[in-house]
Amino acid sequence: MKFQERVFSGMQPTGTLHLGNYLGAMLKWIDLQKTHECIYCVVDLHAITVWQDPEELRQAIRQVTASYIAAGLDPQKSILFNQSQVSAHAELAWIFNCVARLGWLGRMTQFKDKAGKDREKASVGLYAYPNLMAADILAYRATHVPVGDDQKQHLELARDIAQKFNGDFAAAIKAAGHEDGEFFPQPEPVITGPATRVMSLRDGSRKMSKSEPSDLSRINLIDDVDLIAKKIKKAKTDPEALPSETDGLSGRPEADNLVGIYAALTGTAKADVLADFGGRQFSAFKPALAELCVEKLGPIAQEVSRLMNDPAEIDRVLVDGANRARAIASPIMDEVKDIVGFIR
Ligand code: AQP
């Protein structure tokens, strides 16, 4: 293995983190801390691809940072920082804007979903978002990227960009001493969380999302006991009892989603959940699920609230993380600039 194994991932401060972020990505992040050098970012440059109120954005950056720490990321062990404090992200993204092809970005389904029908009004940043994501990862030559299933296509694009950069500048890369011509690694997606795609509580065909207008569609990591109970009680279901086997979940997206959440939170399989609840109505299952969510998320919410009482301490963690991130990215960016032909 030529490249040192290094993990990079991030979340957008576009609102409050939810159960999808937690089960789809964050649990894996916490796990990887034990074995890898990890860099976890609050991706504020990504957040502004859709307009954000400046004061709310500042608060959201702190709250996402607090959620990282409260959920179990250790700022001593891992690097935690916000993206805009390390200029390498924006610099490398510009270079990648000139490497990636328009046709590649045109195929990105997330842009199509987020831009909606009126694409002409979407920001240029929203379109170029995957190039910035490739820069986030490759500014550290990260080799592993733990994400939810929705980010798979963007990761494939990051691999294509790494490969094209290596190809476009092969001679300069070799001249810089990388004899095999490989400057950037091909980052591997790690899509192995306990629930890689958690769906909306209001519509089993849409993913749980921060920017979905209805707050009833998601469980936020900071929701209190009453709110969690209310959201689960109101979660869309069908009139049938739960099946006894997983085959019986097909064609029942809402039931499948709730059983999947229960399984992920208990660290078991859907089959185990159905062994306990098969044949029972949602009126029996939902209170058990609500209780489980409160048990698992309650301590996180309390810790977020405690950390948010000291914003200066959160800012200090972010500055320290940014200094450590910059120390890794700066020499890589110096080499990139030499390879591309800039004078520095
Ligand atoms: N519903 C989900 N199920 C599993 N994983 C999910 N992730 C997001 N939603 C789900 C994973 O969480 C990480 C951070 O996501 P993000 O903040 O960068 O943005 P996103 O993927 O676009 O998530 P949201 O909540 O839908 O944010 P908005 O509404 O702002 O776009 C990623 O690893 C993602 O896969």
Side-chain angles (χ1 to χ4, degrees), residues 131-182:
N131 294 345
L132 177 58
M133 181 164 155
D136 298 336
I137 300 162
L138 294 170
Y140 304 94
R141 288 162 129 186
T143 53
H144 292 81
V145 187
V147 283
D149 185 55
D150 58 318
Q151 293 299 327
K152 195 169 171 202
Q153 196 185 30
H154 289 163
L155 248 301
E156 277 158 15
L157 191 97
R159 291 167 66 88
D160 289 344
I161 290 175
Q163 195 173 22
K164 186 160 187 302
F165 181 95
N166 289 344
D168 286 357
F169 296 101
I173 289 170
K174 281 187 187 147
H178 303 274
E179 274 157 27
D180 59 2
E182 228 193 328

Side-chain angles (χ1 to χ4, degrees), residues 239-246 248-249 252 255 259 270-285:
E240 306 294 320
L242 283 168
S244 298
E245 303 200 353
T246 48
L249 291 171
R252 299 180 63 187
V259 170
K270 288 181 194 173
D272 300 317
V273 180
L274 294 180
D276 287 342
F277 287 96
R280 297 177 70 185
Q281 298 293 334
F282 283 103
S283 55
F285 180 64

Side-chain angles (χ1 to χ4, degrees), residues 9-26 29 43 46-47 50 52 64 68 110 114 129 133 145-152 154 195-200 206-212 218:
S9 199
M11 302 212 185
Q12 299 187 74
T14 40
T16 308
L17 297 189
H18 53 71
L19 201 54
N21 300 129
Y22 181 66
L23 297 175
M26 211 189 274
W29 293 15
V43 290
H46 284 279
V50 174
Q52 306 292 326
V64 169
Y68 282 2
Q110 182 171 293
K114 289 201 171 177
Y129 179 118
M133 181 164 155
V145 187
V147 283
D149 185 55
D150 58 318
Q151 293 299 327
K152 195 169 171 202
H154 289 163
T196 53
R197 186 177 282 259
V198 177
M199 308 311 280
S200 157
R206 293 174 64 79
K207 74 163 190 153
M208 188 177 281
S209 173
K210 286 186 236 92
S211 50
E212 166 66 39
R218 61 186 159 258

Side-chain angles (χ1 to χ4, degrees), residues 3-305:
F3 295 98
Q4 179 191 332
E5 290 205 353
R6 182 175 284 151
V7 171
F8 179 93
S9 199
M11 302 212 185
Q12 299 187 74
T14 40
T16 308
L17 297 189
H18 53 71
L19 201 54
N21 300 129
Y22 181 66
L23 297 175
M26 211 189 274
L27 284 179
K28 191 72 197 166
W29 293 15
I30 294 164
D31 213 24
L32 283 165
Q33 286 187 128
K34 295 181 204 136
T35 49
H36 284 74
E37 178 188 16
C38 297
I39 305 172
Y40 295 128
C41 189
V42 181
V43 290
D44 50 6
L45 297 176
H46 284 279
I48 63 162
T49 55
V50 174
W51 189 83
Q52 306 292 326
D53 175 86
E55 202 39 57
E56 284 176 18
L57 178 62
R58 250 185 295 279
Q59 276 305 95
I61 293 168
R62 293 192 181 109
Q63 201 190 62
V64 169
T65 310
S67 303
Y68 282 2
I69 299 169
L73 296 181
D74 177 351
Q76 307 291 329
K77 204 181 275 179
S78 300
I79 296 178
L80 308 188
F81 73 107
N82 64 310
Q83 191 185 22
S84 61
Q85 289 200 44
V86 180
S87 60
H89 294 255
E91 289 181 14
L92 189 57
W94 180 259
I95 293 171
F96 286 169
N97 283 344
C98 305
V99 171
R101 305 290 92 180
L102 273 181
W104 298 359
L105 293 173
R107 287 193 284 276
M108 295 297 113
T109 55
Q110 182 171 293
F111 175 74
K112 292 179 194 162
D113 288 348
K114 289 201 171 177
K117 291 203 181 75
D118 204 354
R119 281 197 209 178
E120 298 292 309
K121 290 212 171 124
S123 73
V124 175
L126 190 67
Y127 193 70
Y129 179 118
N131 294 345
L132 177 58
M133 181 164 155
D136 298 336
I137 300 162
L138 294 170
Y140 304 94
R141 288 162 129 186
T143 53
H144 292 81
V145 187
V147 283
D149 185 55
D150 58 318
Q151 293 299 327
K152 195 169 171 202
Q153 196 185 30
H154 289 163
L155 248 301
E156 277 158 15
L157 191 97
R159 291 167 66 88
D160 289 344
I161 290 175
Q163 195 173 22
K164 186 160 187 302
F165 181 95
N166 289 344
D168 286 357
F169 296 101
I173 289 170
K174 281 187 187 147
H178 303 274
E179 274 157 27
D180 59 2
E182 228 193 328
F183 182 74
F184 285 124
Q186 293 272 294
E188 291 280 342
V190 183
I191 305 180
T192 55
T196 53
R197 186 177 282 259
V198 177
M199 308 311 280
S200 157
L201 299 181
R202 305 299 290 165
D203 177 353
S205 67
R206 293 174 64 79
K207 74 163 190 153
M208 188 177 281
S209 173
K210 286 186 236 92
S211 50
E212 166 66 39
S214 169
D215 192 51
L216 289 175
S217 68
R218 61 186 159 258
I219 308 271
N220 300 307
L221 295 190
I222 57 162
D223 285 348
D224 64 24
V225 179
D226 293 342
L227 198 50
I228 290 177
K230 178 178 158 192
K231 287 178 175 178
I232 292 188
K233 194 167 174 203
K234 285 188 174 279
K236 187 177 166 200
T237 46
D238 56 44
E240 306 294 320
L242 283 168
S244 298
E245 303 200 353
T246 48
D247 285 358
L249 291 171
S250 71
R252 299 180 63 187
E254 284 84 16
D256 187 35
N257 189 39
L258 295 185
V259 170
I261 291 173
Y262 195 102
L265 284 173
T266 45
T268 57
K270 288 181 194 173
D272 300 317
V273 180
L274 294 180
D276 287 342
F277 287 96
R280 297 177 70 185
Q281 298 293 334
F282 283 103
S283 55
F285 180 64
K286 281 182 166 182
L289 178 59
E291 202 178 309
L292 179 63
C293 288
V294 169
E295 180 195 322
K296 299 288 178 186
L297 304 184
I300 299 178
Q302 274 177 12
E303 185 60 5
V304 171
S305 152

